[in-house]
Amino acid sequence: MTQIEDICEKLSKLGLSKPGVQHEQVDSVVAWEAALHSLKTSGSGSLPSSNYMLTKSLILKPKLPKGADMILVFVIAKADSSVSMPALGKNLKLKDLRFANDDILTSVFNTAKGSVSPFALSNVPSENRSNIKVILDEALLSDSTADLAFHPLNSAYTIFVSPETLKNYLNETLGAAGYAVIDLPKLAASAPQSKHSSPAIRPQEKASGEQSTETAGSTRPGLEVGKLEDFSRWYQQILTRSEMLDYYDISGCYIIRPWAYYVWQTIQEFFDAKIKSMKVKNCYFPMFVSGRALEQEKDHIEGFAPEVAWVTKAGSTDLDEPIAIRPTSETVMYPYYSKWIRSHRDLPLRLNQWCSVVRWEFKNPQPFLRTREFLWQEGHCAYIDQASADAEAREILKYYKQVYEELLAVPMIDGVKSEKEKFAGGLYTTTIEGYIPATGRGIQAATSHNLGQNFSKMFNIVVEDPSATEKVAGETPKINVWQTSWGLSTRTLGVMVMVHGDDKGLVMPPRVSEIQVIIIPTGITVKHTQEDKDKVHKACNALLDSLLKAGIRADVDLRENYTPGFKYNHWEIRGVPLRLEVGPKDLLNSSVLSVRRDTFVKQSYPLENIDKTVQQLLETIQSDMFAKATRERDAGVVMVSNWNDFVPALDNKKLCLIPWCNTSECEDEVKDRSAKSVADDVPQDEKAPSMGAKSLCIPYNQPTNPPIVPGQTKCIQCGNDAKVYGLFGRSY
Amino acid sequence: MTQIEDICEKLSKLGLSKPGVQHEQVDSVVAWEAALHSLKTSGSGSLPSSNYMLTKSLILKPKLPKGADMILVFVIAKADSSVSMPALGKNLKLKDLRFANDDILTSVFNTAKGSVSPFALSNVPSENRSNIKVILDEALLSDSTADLAFHPLNSAYTIFVSPETLKNYLNETLGAAGYAVIDLPKLAASAPQSKHSSPAIRPQEKASGEQSTETAGSTRPGLEVGKLEDFSRWYQQILTRSEMLDYYDISGCYIIRPWAYYVWQTIQEFFDAKIKSMKVKNCYFPMFVSGRALEQEKDHIEGFAPEVAWVTKAGSTDLDEPIAIRPTSETVMYPYYSKWIRSHRDLPLRLNQWCSVVRWEFKNPQPFLRTREFLWQEGHCAYIDQASADAEAREILKYYKQVYEELLAVPMIDGVKSEKEKFAGGLYTTTIEGYIPATGRGIQAATSHNLGQNFSKMFNIVVEDPSATEKVAGETPKINVWQTSWGLSTRTLGVMVMVHGDDKGLVMPPRVSEIQVIIIPTGITVKHTQEDKDKVHKACNALLDSLLKAGIRADVDLRENYTPGFKYNHWEIRGVPLRLEVGPKDLLNSSVLSVRRDTFVKQSYPLENIDKTVQQLLETIQSDMFAKATRERDAGVVMVSNWNDFVPALDNKKLCLIPWCNTSECEDEVKDRSAKSVADDVPQDEKAPSMGAKSLCIPYNQPTNPPIVPGQTKCIQCGNDAKVYGLFGRSY
């Protein structure tokens, strides 16, 4: 095996001065990033590099004529660069490029999975190096100040090498054979895409970018594309293959299948109980709204008008006036609030409805995140004073945060939206913001608005002032009520998938998974008798019974004609939190083998008290998932105190906390200056995963080290006095 | 007081030969009908009359100049005839007609409430009789063979008098003064209607017949119109005043307010658990469907086409193709069933969704019963064989029946729809049918369809036959799957209101009432100190606590500035099942006074173990309500073995079980021949409360006494061999 001392010696000759660091074993790029981040923030020993990119090294093999000398392709790429094997093969004039078998890692490179790095090239006898085509991702050279992070020895040890050092190393090691620098994502994007292999019924499919495509030649089990390889294709695949969702023959509309709907129903039950405890009552208003009512509040309708779907015909009859489908229900409901609220004794009026709304967005639909129809709840309350409305908006936000953190195991940052980003027509908007590590983007997870008195003025929702002591012009003075509105949608499901899913499929938090435990009979071979098999099946059923009795949502997969391996894969794609394997050997030991979906850690447990063991294990998985997601999120949010670090941090998939003047003008500037340079022929879309960074929120939990010092701390964009820390980022 | 012997003597002189009957005390027309029916069906002593109409006698008083002689109006009417006091007053040239005070009953007629009948006219000194204008409802003379039922003595005793005898009696008693025969319902219908008094916001209201109107001069507490006086206005009033529902500014759309939505959510929870136990899974399909998909099944779409709402525009952009809003989801879902079902191992596929659907009906919208958008669940399952589909359709029907009978306390008749009435495109439809005593109409309460293989052929949902032993033309033979679909909607709420509501408002079955018990402090007078009052309030709160702890949905009404009477009325309109009154005297006795909403029976109970007492009482109310509704329904369904009795029975608000040939031709004939003669200028509507009788179902529980004897029993309409008993009736 390559020894770290050898490599360090070699690198130090080439100019490497930074020491390597030990950290916890990592099994994914995201975990790697989190591990480095925690080193950075922990007191003990800071990270040798403050600006770095993670890398991946791939060893590929083409199909060759029999007897031909072996040729290998060694790809050194930025961790999140897409690599299209067909396109690369075509570029290199090599057929059927695939991942090389593990034994090649050992026999040729004297290394193993998890510790492949360019420095393994040193282990190849120099006479054989000319058979290795080395490809260097252009992205690695894009920022000469950013170190490149590698695992040369194992996945618990990272070294940092500057691009210059890497190039020097490659030149020295490869000599005349040299290496090629290629823009791998661009190559992948230009690749002809193979046809969709599953028989989709999509006769009217029109939206671009929705069609799922597969990378030919990839052999990854479950999913055919990695999360960091091509995130948007990974997202499509994970949703359809886990049977969470299916595409529909009207663009921007999707079918929410039972595996996803269960999660939504769990969220409904949780949140419905919370709001009932606040005395909010459920109701149902019509989905239709007249044009007149819709247009009553001007700012409000301006925000929605381009997306409103209009019914103009019923049967073969044209309607006298077109009727809109609600994009949200303020203007549907508030005329009736005006009617129902006659006195301060009718306050507070607290209503909620579970329904679907329609926003006919034309560009870039995205399952769960951005769909033409979506399910949500919308709460609408009216109070006599601002304090009550303030308090309620915050209380609801707290419950929203609980939905994400306690059910979906996704950490949230709560705060207030800027003036520019608040709900149109409202006073202010409180929000919880999530973070998607794989793309480095922020995502608005739910909002709760204090509408102030704006709508109550438009819709004339007034009561006599109960504290008035005398009449004015013969009338008791009137007060316009204070209102709130707040909504949580099926976007929740998309965030959960994006945060927890991995290259094998979904990873479901136990609290929202329809099946928490899947029992699979295993270890039965041709040597076993039918009686042995029956015994195992009987034991599986007995185990199922005891788990069900304990209130655990368990199931058993006794399907014939399927191998255990097939079943593992089937339930892994669906993200079932815990697998219990029961085989003849386990029965001899009165035990069962558990495999966690989140970590793949295997552990044997006695059958005695298995229900309690499993219950505890599920709780552990739930809290470990939240802890991991929190680590990754913490690693993804950086404090930036100087403009020059801002765009590099965004490009490095970070959200940034910046001292900010809190003006809309400055916000616009931030957005413009942080926009990626995009080729002119790519259509721009205001609401697409934003190219420029937006303000996500002004977090309630403001950094204190250093704090904003009035008159002293400056906005990093405009240099005027900073008022707050703003959370900025590219976003969904 | 009038003595029964006197009356009988008088009547026997006039030709009355039938004896009167004793029965249980009755407090409403419906109870009266049920009491007579139970006599008819009980072994002990049959009813003296087999064909009768119930009557009502009203004593009205006009406003007269001071000092003028008293004038009274004595109205003898069919029990369900509408009487418009303003219209009648106008007709008689009398001002401000109102109900006379109770003391006039005593002082002038020597009788009392509950025992007013025309025979009380005998008690008026003959010299005063000319001051009484007697009005006879023309409807009472419409069937000379139908006896008229009266309570001359008290409400536990009924006599039967032929129309001829009544006329003779009136002629003899009134002499020259005589009486006038008037078509009272027609007069009421022609009355100018006063303006809606509550400040509704309905700027775009267009549908006729929806506007709630009030009878001027009526003083009934809570509601201003009686259930039997003008059913459709009563229904509007009860819904809006109980705050179950409000009218919306788009015709045919209604707001389901929390008091009603709670019932729907209770139904959802109940039914959702039932179907989950059957392994049905919830999902959500888009509300939009392309024209192409919608029109794939021809018979099916024919039934819905005229009612489909079309979206043709989004923002200001015209869509390339109009997109429909689902009227039901067969054609939305089944293309995906075809995709998802690849093998017999994918069966059964059982999906359900809770959603809203849109059927843009133009005529006669009716809250809950017939609305343009309504909430429902729709289940859609696929099976490998017919037997499984048959079994499932029936199991679902059983759960639907439980929703009505066990939650809503409304009895159902289950059976199969005729070919003519089945779901378009399906194989057969199973149904549960309810009965609305006040109108004598049947109502389809929920349906569960076996779709056969029709849709699976249209949408190509096939699997390889697992039992096939050899290939045909090189292929394993394919089977089209068998499908079911089934739906239950917010129509449930309308049926519940129509069956249980009374002249004071809703009567809520305890199991679905958001508030089961309302506690009201009472008996506090000016003589009591603040301390006394505090004690009572404290006791109310303690009582509330103990009920809440026992899981009873209780609330307390401690509002200041409202009298107990106001509060009683407030909660009676809303139908809260049980009222508990707590006053200083009750506290001295450590007791509480309970008042049942369904019967108004008052009873004092010790505070000790009050939670258990109340729990039991609520169960009793629930079962009593079901028993009462069942008695009324049983009284409303008659066996008719001869055509001549059929239309009179319908006119007498009955549903009829008839021996029937079970052909569509005969069904059409029944409808035509039983249609009421309607003036030409009244618009006819196929789906309006049907004028002609339809077949409601062929009940599973077929009468056995007598049974249908093949080749012997004849269809009462066509005279051909009867195949079954069919349940026919006018319907919603």
PDB file of all heavy atoms in Angstrom, chain A residues 169-187:
ATOM      1  N   TYR A 169       3.079  17.576  -9.769  1.00  0.00           N
ATOM      2  CA  TYR A 169       3.162  16.142  -9.458  1.00  0.00           C
ATOM      3  C   TYR A 169       2.851  15.314 -10.701  1.00  0.00           C
ATOM      4  O   TYR A 169       3.560  14.360 -11.040  1.00  0.00           O
ATOM      5  CB  TYR A 169       2.215  15.786  -8.312  1.00  0.00           C
ATOM      6  CG  TYR A 169       2.047  14.299  -8.141  1.00  0.00           C
ATOM      7  CD1 TYR A 169       3.042  13.524  -7.538  1.00  0.00           C
ATOM      8  CD2 TYR A 169       0.917  13.656  -8.635  1.00  0.00           C
ATOM      9  CE1 TYR A 169       2.913  12.141  -7.408  1.00  0.00           C
ATOM     10  CE2 TYR A 169       0.781  12.275  -8.504  1.00  0.00           C
ATOM     11  CZ  TYR A 169       1.768  11.531  -7.901  1.00  0.00           C
ATOM     12  OH  TYR A 169       1.623  10.175  -7.799  1.00  0.00           O
ATOM     13  N   LEU A 170       1.769  15.670 -11.400  1.00  0.00           N
ATOM     14  CA  LEU A 170       1.358  14.897 -12.566  1.00  0.00           C
ATOM     15  C   LEU A 170       2.422  14.968 -13.659  1.00  0.00           C
ATOM     16  O   LEU A 170       2.759  13.952 -14.273  1.00  0.00           O
ATOM     17  CB  LEU A 170       0.004  15.396 -13.093  1.00  0.00           C
ATOM     18  CG  LEU A 170      -1.207  15.119 -12.190  1.00  0.00           C
ATOM     19  CD1 LEU A 170      -2.465  15.738 -12.782  1.00  0.00           C
ATOM     20  CD2 LEU A 170      -1.397  13.615 -11.955  1.00  0.00           C
ATOM     21  N   ASN A 171       2.935  16.176 -13.864  1.00  0.00           N
ATOM     22  CA  ASN A 171       3.980  16.315 -14.888  1.00  0.00           C
ATOM     23  C   ASN A 171       5.174  15.426 -14.573  1.00  0.00           C
ATOM     24  O   ASN A 171       5.681  14.715 -15.437  1.00  0.00           O
ATOM     25  CB  ASN A 171       4.432  17.775 -14.994  1.00  0.00           C
ATOM     26  CG  ASN A 171       3.406  18.599 -15.762  1.00  0.00           C
ATOM     27  OD1 ASN A 171       2.727  18.074 -16.640  1.00  0.00           O
ATOM     28  ND2 ASN A 171       3.292  19.878 -15.418  1.00  0.00           N
ATOM     29  N   GLU A 172       5.582  15.456 -13.320  1.00  0.00           N
ATOM     30  CA  GLU A 172       6.747  14.672 -12.956  1.00  0.00           C
ATOM     31  C   GLU A 172       6.470  13.176 -13.055  1.00  0.00           C
ATOM     32  O   GLU A 172       7.295  12.404 -13.534  1.00  0.00           O
ATOM     33  CB  GLU A 172       7.177  15.044 -11.533  1.00  0.00           C
ATOM     34  CG  GLU A 172       8.449  14.306 -11.137  1.00  0.00           C
ATOM     35  CD  GLU A 172       8.955  14.745  -9.764  1.00  0.00           C
ATOM     36  OE1 GLU A 172       9.061  15.970  -9.531  1.00  0.00           O
ATOM     37  OE2 GLU A 172       9.219  13.873  -8.928  1.00  0.00           O
ATOM     38  N   THR A 173       5.297  12.778 -12.581  1.00  0.00           N
ATOM     39  CA  THR A 173       4.981  11.350 -12.528  1.00  0.00           C
ATOM     40  C   THR A 173       4.703  10.771 -13.914  1.00  0.00           C
ATOM     41  O   THR A 173       5.084   9.655 -14.237  1.00  0.00           O
ATOM     42  CB  THR A 173       3.748  11.113 -11.615  1.00  0.00           C
ATOM     43  OG1 THR A 173       3.942  11.808 -10.397  1.00  0.00           O
ATOM     44  CG2 THR A 173       3.535   9.631 -11.351  1.00  0.00           C
ATOM     45  N   LEU A 174       3.990  11.528 -14.743  1.00  0.00           N
ATOM     46  CA  LEU A 174       3.541  10.965 -16.014  1.00  0.00           C
ATOM     47  C   LEU A 174       4.522  11.221 -17.152  1.00  0.00           C
ATOM     48  O   LEU A 174       4.481  10.551 -18.175  1.00  0.00           O
ATOM     49  CB  LEU A 174       2.171  11.539 -16.372  1.00  0.00           C
ATOM     50  CG  LEU A 174       1.082  11.222 -15.337  1.00  0.00           C
ATOM     51  CD1 LEU A 174      -0.181  12.000 -15.649  1.00  0.00           C
ATOM     52  CD2 LEU A 174       0.809   9.720 -15.284  1.00  0.00           C
ATOM     53  N   GLY A 175       5.372  12.194 -16.965  1.00  0.00           N
ATOM     54  CA  GLY A 175       6.364  12.462 -18.000  1.00  0.00           C
ATOM     55  C   GLY A 175       5.727  12.782 -19.326  1.00  0.00           C
ATOM     56  O   GLY A 175       4.713  13.502 -19.391  1.00  0.00           O
ATOM     57  N   ALA A 176       6.253  12.215 -20.390  1.00  0.00           N
ATOM     58  CA  ALA A 176       5.814  12.527 -21.751  1.00  0.00           C
ATOM     59  C   ALA A 176       4.351  12.174 -21.991  1.00  0.00           C
ATOM     60  O   ALA A 176       3.649  12.841 -22.760  1.00  0.00           O
ATOM     61  CB  ALA A 176       6.693  11.800 -22.755  1.00  0.00           C
ATOM     62  N   ALA A 177       3.862  11.105 -21.325  1.00  0.00           N
ATOM     63  CA  ALA A 177       2.459  10.689 -21.535  1.00  0.00           C
ATOM     64  C   ALA A 177       1.515  11.840 -21.187  1.00  0.00           C
ATOM     65  O   ALA A 177       0.522  12.079 -21.860  1.00  0.00           O
ATOM     66  CB  ALA A 177       2.153   9.471 -20.673  1.00  0.00           C
ATOM     67  N   GLY A 178       1.837  12.553 -20.131  1.00  0.00           N
ATOM     68  CA  GLY A 178       1.081  13.746 -19.765  1.00  0.00           C
ATOM     69  C   GLY A 178      -0.372  13.479 -19.360  1.00  0.00           C
ATOM     70  O   GLY A 178      -0.768  12.330 -19.124  1.00  0.00           O
ATOM     71  N   TYR A 179      -1.119  14.560 -19.275  1.00  0.00           N
ATOM     72  CA  TYR A 179      -2.533  14.449 -18.874  1.00  0.00           C
ATOM     73  C   TYR A 179      -3.326  15.464 -19.685  1.00  0.00           C
ATOM     74  O   TYR A 179      -2.766  16.407 -20.241  1.00  0.00           O
ATOM     75  CB  TYR A 179      -2.698  14.705 -17.376  1.00  0.00           C
ATOM     76  CG  TYR A 179      -2.235  16.066 -16.937  1.00  0.00           C
ATOM     77  CD1 TYR A 179      -3.153  17.136 -16.845  1.00  0.00           C
ATOM     78  CD2 TYR A 179      -0.902  16.330 -16.619  1.00  0.00           C
ATOM     79  CE1 TYR A 179      -2.720  18.400 -16.462  1.00  0.00           C
ATOM     80  CE2 TYR A 179      -0.470  17.585 -16.236  1.00  0.00           C
ATOM     81  CZ  TYR A 179      -1.389  18.615 -16.161  1.00  0.00           C
ATOM     82  OH  TYR A 179      -0.979  19.863 -15.795  1.00  0.00           O
ATOM     83  N   ALA A 180      -4.641  15.247 -19.727  1.00  0.00           N
ATOM     84  CA  ALA A 180      -5.506  16.166 -20.482  1.00  0.00           C
ATOM     85  C   ALA A 180      -6.407  16.928 -19.519  1.00  0.00           C
ATOM     86  O   ALA A 180      -6.938  16.354 -18.575  1.00  0.00           O
ATOM     87  CB  ALA A 180      -6.370  15.370 -21.457  1.00  0.00           C
ATOM     88  N   VAL A 181      -6.570  18.214 -19.778  1.00  0.00           N
ATOM     89  CA  VAL A 181      -7.500  19.008 -18.966  1.00  0.00           C
ATOM     90  C   VAL A 181      -8.819  19.123 -19.750  1.00  0.00           C
ATOM     91  O   VAL A 181      -8.812  19.557 -20.904  1.00  0.00           O
ATOM     92  CB  VAL A 181      -6.932  20.401 -18.676  1.00  0.00           C
ATOM     93  CG1 VAL A 181      -7.960  21.248 -17.914  1.00  0.00           C
ATOM     94  CG2 VAL A 181      -5.636  20.279 -17.870  1.00  0.00           C
ATOM     95  N   ILE A 182      -9.896  18.718 -19.140  1.00  0.00           N
ATOM     96  CA  ILE A 182     -11.198  18.712 -19.832  1.00  0.00           C
ATOM     97  C   ILE A 182     -12.258  19.358 -18.939  1.00  0.00           C
ATOM     98  O   ILE A 182     -12.254  19.167 -17.720  1.00  0.00           O
ATOM     99  CB  ILE A 182     -11.636  17.260 -20.168  1.00  0.00           C
ATOM    100  CG1 ILE A 182     -10.637  16.628 -21.165  1.00  0.00           C
ATOM    101  CG2 ILE A 182     -13.053  17.218 -20.733  1.00  0.00           C
ATOM    102  CD1 ILE A 182     -11.029  15.236 -21.633  1.00  0.00           C
ATOM    103  N   ASP A 183     -13.158  20.134 -19.547  1.00  0.00           N
ATOM    104  CA  ASP A 183     -14.311  20.663 -18.797  1.00  0.00           C
ATOM    105  C   ASP A 183     -15.355  19.540 -18.729  1.00  0.00           C
ATOM    106  O   ASP A 183     -16.165  19.379 -19.630  1.00  0.00           O
ATOM    107  CB  ASP A 183     -14.863  21.899 -19.513  1.00  0.00           C
ATOM    108  CG  ASP A 183     -15.981  22.569 -18.730  1.00  0.00           C
ATOM    109  OD1 ASP A 183     -16.577  21.891 -17.846  1.00  0.00           O
ATOM    110  OD2 ASP A 183     -16.279  23.737 -18.975  1.00  0.00           O
ATOM    111  N   LEU A 184     -15.267  18.761 -17.679  1.00  0.00           N
ATOM    112  CA  LEU A 184     -16.101  17.553 -17.615  1.00  0.00           C
ATOM    113  C   LEU A 184     -17.611  17.834 -17.558  1.00  0.00           C
ATOM    114  O   LEU A 184     -18.381  17.186 -18.254  1.00  0.00           O
ATOM    115  CB  LEU A 184     -15.673  16.682 -16.422  1.00  0.00           C
ATOM    116  CG  LEU A 184     -14.286  16.019 -16.589  1.00  0.00           C
ATOM    117  CD1 LEU A 184     -13.849  15.370 -15.283  1.00  0.00           C
ATOM    118  CD2 LEU A 184     -14.323  14.981 -17.712  1.00  0.00           C
ATOM    119  N   PRO A 185     -18.083  18.786 -16.743  1.00  0.00           N
ATOM    120  CA  PRO A 185     -19.539  19.051 -16.733  1.00  0.00           C
ATOM    121  C   PRO A 185     -20.037  19.477 -18.114  1.00  0.00           C
ATOM    122  O   PRO A 185     -21.101  19.056 -18.549  1.00  0.00           O
ATOM    123  CB  PRO A 185     -19.677  20.192 -15.721  1.00  0.00           C
ATOM    124  CG  PRO A 185     -18.500  20.050 -14.814  1.00  0.00           C
ATOM    125  CD  PRO A 185     -17.379  19.558 -15.703  1.00  0.00           C
ATOM    126  N   LYS A 186     -19.246  20.283 -18.815  1.00  0.00           N
ATOM    127  CA  LYS A 186     -19.672  20.738 -20.134  1.00  0.00           C
ATOM    128  C   LYS A 186     -19.747  19.565 -21.100  1.00  0.00           C
ATOM    129  O   LYS A 186     -20.701  19.427 -21.867  1.00  0.00           O
ATOM    130  CB  LYS A 186     -18.681  21.791 -20.648  1.00  0.00           C
ATOM    131  CG  LYS A 186     -19.173  22.526 -21.884  1.00  0.00           C
ATOM    132  CD  LYS A 186     -18.231  23.659 -22.241  1.00  0.00           C
ATOM    133  CE  LYS A 186     -18.474  24.137 -23.670  1.00  0.00           C
ATOM    134  NZ  LYS A 186     -17.372  25.002 -24.114  1.00  0.00           N
ATOM    135  N   LEU A 187     -18.764  18.690 -20.985  1.00  0.00           N
ATOM    136  CA  LEU A 187     -18.760  17.495 -21.832  1.00  0.00           C
ATOM    137  C   LEU A 187     -19.999  16.644 -21.538  1.00  0.00           C
ATOM    138  O   LEU A 187     -20.680  16.154 -22.443  1.00  0.00           O
ATOM    139  CB  LEU A 187     -17.484  16.693 -21.559  1.00  0.00           C
ATOM    140  CG  LEU A 187     -17.286  15.430 -22.413  1.00  0.00           C
ATOM    141  CD1 LEU A 187     -17.034  15.812 -23.867  1.00  0.00           C
ATOM    142  CD2 LEU A 187     -16.125  14.589 -21.885  1.00  0.00           C
TER     143      LEU A 187
END
